Amino acid sequence: MRLMTSVRLLVIACLIILLSGCGFTLRGSQTSQLSVTQLALNLQQENSPFARALRSTLNSIDVDIGDNDADYTLTVGQEEHSVRQISVTGRASAAQYELSSAVNVELHNRAGELLLGPEIINVQKTYFEDIANIAGSSSEMELLRAEMRQELVDQLIRRLQSVANDG
């Protein structure tokens, strides 16, 4: 019995070393750092949930935002949502939807040169409607929208990292 426990621990330790050696990390567990330290934000919707999520993420990675004399200016368009029916039930009512969220972005340097965009960043998720629990389905859709919004922010941060590392 004791030998089995030792073998299990050895196997687990080897797997952890192997996974960490190859660069594997859980999504969201690594902290993003930008070489950009100052960023002016030009938001079409100043107080939208996307704008709040973007500001929060930039603050968490120590990017100074709001300075008009910043090294870079990020222009973010209006967040757009769409819903598309992709399957129906036997009663001809919608059973499954594809939710889409998108935002248009541009990044300029201090000299006004376009470094990124105009580019549309988008995210899609599939949503199954529970006809027996409409209130729960509505809450689930709102949770999916919040997840999608954070995915949009994460994609934007990765694009900014790429541009900043190339520049």
Side-chain angles (χ1 to χ4, degrees), residues 95-115:
Q96 185 178 12
Y97 297 94
E98 179 184 73
L99 305 175
S100 297
S101 291
V103 66
N104 194 355
V105 297
E106 291 183 15
L107 180 70
H108 293 85
N109 63 12
R110 189 184 300 225
E113 297 170 345
L114 184 64
L115 302 176

Side-chain angles (χ1 to χ4, degrees), residues 82-88 94-101 123-130 137 140-145 147-148 151:
S82 65
V83 178
R84 183 175 67 100
Q85 179 180 326
I86 54 178
S87 71
V88 294
Q96 185 178 12
Y97 297 94
E98 179 184 73
L99 305 175
S100 297
S101 291
V123 174
Q124 290 88 28
K125 293 250 186 213
T126 303
Y127 164 72
F128 294 93
E129 184 172 56
D130 183 4
S137 291
E140 182 180 352
M141 186 181 292
E142 288 304 313
L143 281 172
L144 279 174
R145 287 284 184 207
E147 287 176 15
M148 293 169 68
E151 283 185 39

Side-chain angles (χ1 to χ4, degrees), residues 15-72:
L15 285 173
I16 290 171
I17 291 169
L18 179 68
L19 286 175
S20 64
C22 74
F24 173 81
T25 58
L26 293 174
R27 184 187 311 180
S29 66
Q30 71 276 12
T31 57
S32 301
Q33 290 299 323
L34 286 176
S35 58
V36 175
T37 57
Q38 295 179 332
L39 185 67
L41 284 179
N42 181 7
L43 300 164
Q44 190 170 4
Q45 293 176 304
E46 287 283 330
N47 295 316
S48 70
F50 177 80
R52 289 191 300 269
L54 178 59
R55 279 191 206 99
S56 174
T57 299
L58 289 171
N59 285 328
S60 73
I61 57 175
D62 297 325
V63 175
D64 183 26
I65 55 176
D67 185 9
N68 289 333
D69 195 35
D71 297 331
Y72 300 94

